[in-house]
């Protein structure tokens, strides 16, 4: 079985098992605490806010629906059909469109670009060169991307949660069981991959990545994360 097949199967099995309840998934925090914070850093760099917005790796569509209230044409894209089933069921009014897409397949990205034209893209995580190459195809000349990735130091936080005496928290356990461990890449990987794909890093920074899990003392679990805005240099 190829790496891509194992990765796809891991996500399919995760989303088939996931509950549809709001906040049941480890990273499925309220959009005002996640995508909303990110938009404050993303929107100033958009050359054309009217371009389609692709929520790449949309999962169950919580953030996608938030974007659909703010942008005219939003597409939630995900590798896992099971994730898109969740997203469509949670969006009976069809605020957004949904599309199965292997974000590491440049040919699939080029096909979507041929349909939509240049697009703005919101994506997490992004630390792989094939994904950066596909992202460049989706952006075209005018699009901008916002990428967020758990920082390397998030691994320490997750390890502490995973090795608690009573076991990992209930919402983190399925993430670990399916092998979907974040924070496994160096912090500098994303900018390097973007530059290799012909994109320019326009802005970057750090933000806490809010989760839906809490420690035994009631503190919300937050992971250190890095964010990057990228696009083609139009000057």
């Amino acid at each position: 079985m190829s790496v891509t097949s194992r990765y796809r199967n891991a996500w399919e099995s995760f989303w088939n098992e996931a509950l549809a309840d709001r906040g049941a998934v480890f990273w499925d925090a309220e959009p005002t605490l996640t995508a909303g914070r990110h938009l404050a850093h993303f929107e100033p760099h958009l050359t054309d806010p009217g371009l389609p917005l692709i929520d790449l790796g949309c999962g169950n569509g919580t953030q996608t629906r938030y974007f659909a209230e703010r942008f005219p044409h939003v597409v939630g894209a995900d590798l896992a059909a099971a994730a898109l089933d969740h997203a469509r069921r949670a969006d009976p009014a069809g605020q957004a469109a949904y599309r199965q897409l292997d974000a590491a397949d440049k040919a699939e990205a080029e096909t979507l670009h041929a349909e939509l034209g240049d697009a703005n893209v919101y994506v997490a995580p992004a630390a792989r060169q094939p994904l950066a190459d596909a992202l460049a195809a989706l952006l075209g000349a005018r699009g901008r991307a916002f990428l967020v990735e758990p920082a390397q130091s998030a691994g320490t936080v997750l390890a502490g949660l995973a090795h608690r005496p009573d076991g990992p928290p209930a919402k983190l356990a399925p993430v670990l069981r399916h092998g979907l461990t974040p924070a496994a890449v160096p912090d500098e990987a994303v900018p390097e991959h973007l530059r290799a794909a012909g994109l320019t890093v326009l802005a970057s920074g750090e933000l806490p990545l809010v989760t839906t899990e809490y420690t035994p003392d009631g503190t919300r679990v937050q992971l250190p994360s890095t964010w990057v805005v990228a696009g083609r240099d139009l000057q």
Side-chain angles (χ1 to χ4, degrees), residues 207-228:
L207 280 174
L209 192 60
V210 179
T211 77
T212 61
E213 192 58 87
Y214 293 82
T215 61
D217 66 2
T219 302
R220 170 100 70 157
V221 174
Q222 300 186 67
L223 303 178
S225 75
T226 59
W227 59 265
V228 173

Side-chain angles (χ1 to χ4, degrees), residues 42-226:
F42 190 23
E43 287 184 306
H45 297 280
L46 297 179
T47 59
D48 185 352
L51 293 178
L53 176 69
I54 302 172
D55 181 11
L56 195 57
C58 68
N60 60 5
T62 298
Q63 315 305 319
T64 316
R65 295 188 296 277
Y66 178 85
F67 290 132
E69 295 173 353
R70 289 157 179 80
F71 294 93
H73 184 191
V74 175
V75 177
D78 203 279
L79 177 67
L84 296 172
D85 288 343
H86 279 283
R88 292 187 179 102
R89 285 196 296 269
D91 185 12
Q95 290 178 280
Y98 299 95
R99 172 74 170 260
Q100 188 169 14
L101 179 74
D102 181 351
D105 188 323
K106 188 176 179 181
E108 289 193 26
E110 289 171 342
T111 297
L112 184 56
H113 180 266
E115 296 175 15
L116 298 179
D118 292 358
N120 297 314
V121 181
Y122 177 84
V123 57
R128 289 184 295 156
Q129 190 61 55
L131 192 148
D133 295 338
L135 180 62
L138 292 171
L139 297 183
R142 296 176 296 152
R144 294 287 184 259
F146 186 93
L147 307 95
V148 59
E149 182 88 22
Q152 278 181 282
S153 55
T156 303
V157 178
L158 291 169
L161 293 170
H163 295 98
R164 294 189 322 186
D166 55 347
K171 295 175 185 177
L172 179 58
V175 177
L176 301 175
R177 185 169 63 254
H178 291 284
L180 304 171
T181 307
V185 297
D187 291 342
E188 65 274 13
V190 170
E192 290 177 355
H193 290 321
L194 292 171
R195 293 186 186 103
L199 300 175
T200 299
V201 173
L202 304 170
S204 61
E206 300 177 358
L207 280 174
L209 192 60
V210 179
T211 77
T212 61
E213 192 58 87
Y214 293 82
T215 61
D217 66 2
T219 302
R220 170 100 70 157
V221 174
Q222 300 186 67
L223 303 178
S225 75
T226 59

